[in-house]
Amino acid sequence: MRVGLGYLNMAPAGDAATAQATYDDFFHDVQWADDKGFAGIWVTEHHFSTYSLTSSPLLLLAKASALAPRLRLGTSILVLPFWDPVRLAADVLSLDALSSGRFDLGIGRGYQPHEFLGFGRNPEDNRAIFEESVDVVTQLFNRQDADFTGKFFRIDAPVTLLPRPTQQPHPPIWMAATSRESLAFAARHGFHFMLPAVTTYEQIVERRAWIEAETAASGGLGDREFQVNRFVYCGEDEEGRRAVVREIARQLQTSSALTRGTYPIDGDAPTPEHIDPEFEAKAEGVLVAGGPEEVLAEFRRLSDAGITYVIAGFSFGYLPKEVAQKSMERFAAEVLPHLGESGAAV
């Protein structure tokens, strides 16, 4: 099992000073993590609200590549329906070259309606746009003198994308998927699999079985990886744990409101003042928490369920920075080395 650091930090405001402080914290963590045994840094893509100040994840990862030469760099995810696929493929291969082949491309369809509308996209077309965009991007990665004519995109002259891929045949592609249909699409295209943080242990087992059934006829999973996001708190302090559960619940509740179509006002995400107990229960169900031995046991349980990569989030909601930092430092010092010893190599 490999463990990467995931970033999707809610911000109290979207002004320049807040953005600068948020990015400073991110790059501090990138430099700190470079020699601690983490496999990579993963950044999500969101737009138009303080739910996350990560509208340009490839730019953030370009700087991270220079600050942390040992870490891989990943997107979890880029929302393909928001991109011109030619522009995306060009930026991806540029980052692949810039990082000397350390980039992982995580892709997905997106889920917040106001983001689609902000880009002039119909949310109901997201699957069709996504699948056509995958066709364009993979052809540009794999072919020279590529052209394309589709419903949403077209390339009207043969083009060869430069630079050509540093990693061969191209950067690893991971796909966010939860439904059987999406998992089957990822399997057919040879992608690695990404499950969101809200996926319960029981759902992980179920979806692993779906994937194994889907790939059985073609010889099985092979070297493809099976990844899940997890909120992590490494510590025994009960007050700290309560704060962690509250802030996970706040993030989940905000995400739920945006998914249902709530619009941000002046860029402010619909962040709840009062946490719904239903979301606190959900937070408990997807939190890996406790002392190092308890956290290690849960990571081994995930490995037993077929998970090969965990994107671990230590900062979420409005969790105080010092709480997240202490948890992350203890995890790196007291959990990661033992994951390696157990055979679940980091």
Side-chain angles (χ1 to χ4, degrees), residues 7-13 15-29 52-54 60:
Y7 282 85
L8 188 160
N9 291 6
M10 291 173 63
D15 60 277
T18 301
Q20 185 65 61
T22 300
Y23 297 151
D24 286 348
D25 288 344
F26 168 67
F27 291 123
H28 171 272
D29 289 348
S52 182
L53 301 182
T54 50
L60 295 174

Side-chain angles (χ1 to χ4, degrees), residues 212-224:
E212 289 176 348
E214 187 68 35
T215 57
S218 58
L221 281 168
D223 61 355
R224 275 182 280 179

Side-chain angles (χ1 to χ4, degrees), residues 232-249:
V232 179
Y233 175 63
C234 191
E236 295 99 333
D237 179 66
E238 280 303 314
E239 183 177 345
R241 182 191 172 102
R242 285 194 296 272
V244 164
V245 170
R246 181 184 66 246
E247 295 310 320
I248 295 172

Side-chain angles (χ1 to χ4, degrees), residues 170-186:
H170 51 69
I173 300 177
W174 304 70
M175 179 176 159
T178 57
S179 70
R180 194 158 194 160
E181 181 181 3
S182 293
L183 290 166
F185 181 89

Side-chain angles (χ1 to χ4, degrees), residues 5 48-49 55 57 79 90 126 130 198 229 288 312 326:
L5 283 177
F48 314 132
S49 85
S55 59
V79 185
N126 74 341
F130 172 84
V198 294
N229 282 260
V288 177
K326 185 177 179 180

Side-chain angles (χ1 to χ4, degrees), residues 83-334:
W83 288 78
D84 177 294
V86 181
R87 175 76 268 168
L88 180 144
D91 288 351
V92 164
L93 293 188
S94 295
L95 182 53
D96 190 37
L98 183 68
S99 63
S100 301
R102 289 183 288 131
F103 181 65
D104 288 87
L105 174 60
I107 57 175
R109 295 187 355 239
Y111 66 92
Q112 295 185 9
H114 78 281
E115 293 185 328
F116 282 85
L117 299 175
F119 280 97
R121 298 292 194 187
N122 184 345
E124 295 181 0
D125 291 335
N126 74 341
R127 184 179 292 276
I129 297 172
F130 172 84
E131 292 183 357
E132 187 170 297
S133 183
V134 165
D135 287 344
V136 178
V137 170
T138 53
Q139 286 192 42
L140 289 168
F141 285 169
N142 293 317
R143 289 176 48 199
Q144 300 183 29
D145 292 332
D147 55 18
F148 187 89
T149 301
K151 179 179 178 181
F152 302 101
F153 306 109
R154 43 189 297 179
I155 303 173
D156 291 333
V159 298
T160 299
L161 207 59
L162 300 174
R164 300 306 296 154
T166 300
Q167 300 176 84
Q168 292 298 319
H170 51 69
I173 300 177
W174 304 70
M175 179 176 159
T178 57
S179 70
R180 194 158 194 160
E181 181 181 3
S182 293
L183 290 166
F185 181 89
R188 289 195 303 273
H189 285 76
F191 299 158
H192 301 297
F193 305 92
M194 307 176 79
L195 297 178
V198 294
T199 311
T200 65
Y201 181 83
E202 292 73 21
Q203 289 170 331
I204 290 171
V205 173
E206 177 186 56
R207 282 151 178 76
R208 175 76 188 200
W210 288 354
I211 293 168
E212 289 176 348
E214 187 68 35
T215 57
S218 58
L221 281 168
D223 61 355
R224 275 182 280 179
E225 297 209 52
F226 193 44
Q227 179 193 98
V228 72
N229 282 260
R230 273 295 179 262
F231 301 103
V232 179
Y233 175 63
C234 191
E236 295 99 333
D237 179 66
E238 280 303 314
E239 183 177 345
R241 182 191 172 102
R242 285 194 296 272
V244 164
V245 170
R246 181 184 66 246
E247 295 310 320
I248 295 172
R250 190 189 309 279
Q251 181 166 313
L252 295 179
Q253 196 168 336
T254 303
S255 178
S256 177
L258 291 167
T259 303
R260 295 193 309 270
T262 302
Y263 285 11
I265 304 299
D266 294 331
D268 291 335
T271 307
E273 294 184 12
H274 303 289
I275 305 299
D276 187 330
E278 176 186 348
F279 286 94
E280 287 190 329
K282 288 183 179 180
E284 288 279 7
V286 294
L287 170 65
V288 177
E293 291 185 1
E294 293 174 274
V295 172
L296 180 60
E298 182 59 24
F299 270 74
R300 287 175 173 163
R301 182 171 176 249
L302 291 171
S303 180
D304 290 342
I307 294 296
T308 63
Y309 199 122
V310 176
I311 296 181
F314 294 87
S315 181
F316 27 76
Y318 294 147
L319 188 69
K321 183 169 60 176
E322 58 273 14
V323 176
Q325 186 69 34
K326 185 177 179 180
S327 167
M328 188 163 57
E329 290 174 353
R330 192 169 183 191
F331 179 89
E334 301 184 48

